[in-house]
Amino acid sequence: MKKYVIEGFEHSPGKNCGSTSLWNLAKFYGNNIEEHNIFGLASGLLFFYMKNGFGGAEYSIGGRNPLLIKDFFENTGINKEWETYNYFPKDKIKKYIDEKVPVLARTDLYYLPYYPKPVHFPGHELVIFGYEETKDGTTFIVSDSSFHEPQKVSEKDLANAMDPPEKVIAFFELENHIMPVEEFYVKFDQESIIKSISKVVFRMLKVGQDFMGLKAMRKFADTIELWVESKNTSWTLRFAYQVIERRGTGGGSFRFMYSDFLKDSSKIIGGKEGEILKEAGEIIFKSAEKWRQLALILKELSEKPKVEKEDMQIPKKLASEIYLLEKESFEKIEHILG
C-alpha cells in the first residue's frame, strides 16, 4: 500500500466547514489567526430563506454566505479561484498532494459515508491532504470540520460527493470544484476588514431579491406560522433547528462567530468607527442569543405529534426581534463605510 500525507498539515475540528478548512490551511502556512476572524474576513454572514431549498425541508433557512471561500481570498488580496472539471480530477488532486499542496474541495455531504444519517447539504467544504493506494483503488484522506480526526473516503464516494448524481439546488450545482492552496499570508487589517464587511452589509441591506438578506428575514418572520401546513412540518422545524444551532454554525446561526469578528475588528479600526463596530458586534451577539432561543423552541416543537399555528407565535416574535436587531446592527455599520 502506498500512502502519502502532507507533512505538517494538522487537522483541527472547528465551527464551520468553510472557515475551519481555511483556518487549518492558514495554520499550515504559519498564520496565527482565530477561526471567527477567518469567517469574518470571508464575508461569512448572510441570511436566506427558500421554499423547497435543501435538506428535504419544505422551508429552508441559512445563515452563511455560500461564496465564503472565494470571498476570503478576494477580501485578503489573494488571487485564488475554484477550478471546475467535467470529470473527477483524481490525478490532479494526487499531483497537488505529491507537491505538498493541500486541496480544498466542495461536496454534498450526503455522499460522504462517514456521516451518520446524512441529508443533502451541498457546498460542504473540506481539505484533501493525503491519499492511499490499495488493490481496491485510491482512498483520500480529508480534513472535515465536524470530526476530531481526519477521515478517509473512497475515490467513488468522493467523486459522487463532488459531482452529485442528484442536483438538489438548481442555482448551486457542484461540478468537481477543487482549489489547490499554495502558501499564503492572511491580511487582517483595515483594508481587508472594510472590504469584507462591505459585502455583508450590501447583501443584508441592499440585495433586491426577497430570498436573501433582511428582506428574506422579514419574510421569514411574517410567514413562519405557515410551516405548520407543510407536508413534513416536523422535519422542517427540526432541520431549521439544526442549521441554526448544530450544522457547522458555531451556534446562533453563525452570529456568535461574526460578533467576535466585529469586536476584534473594532480594535484594529480604532477611533469612532471602531466603537461603532464594537456596538454592532454587541447587537449581533444579542441576535445570536435569540437565534439560539428560537432554535431550541423549534426543536421542542418538532417533537410534538401536531403543531398548531398558535404554537408558532413565540418563534414568530423571536424572528421579528432578530430582524430588528440585525437591521439596527447593519445600518450602524453602513454609516462608517462611506
Side-chain angles (χ1 to χ4, degrees), residues 217-218 220-222 224 290 294 313-326:
M217 201 172 283
R218 180 73 269 170
F220 168 58
D222 289 344
I224 192 172
K290 289 188 180 292
L294 172 60
Q313 292 313 301
I314 293 178
K316 184 180 181 71
K317 180 175 181 292
L318 282 167
S320 296
E321 290 171 353
I322 289 166
Y323 165 79
L324 291 173
L325 284 169
E326 299 208 3

Side-chain angles (χ1 to χ4, degrees), residues 112-130:
L112 298 172
Y114 49 80
Y115 275 94
K117 299 181 181 178
V119 298
H120 285 289
F121 208 83
H124 178 72
E125 292 112 354
L126 48 78
V127 180
I128 309 169
F129 69 100

Side-chain angles (χ1 to χ4, degrees), residues 4 22 65 96 102 126 184 190 192 201 209 228 278 304 316:
Y4 187 82
L22 290 167
N65 165 25
Y96 286 125
L126 48 78
F184 66 92
Q190 182 167 336
S192 60
V201 169
Q209 298 95 329
V228 302
K278 183 181 177 184
K304 289 186 65 173
K316 184 180 181 71

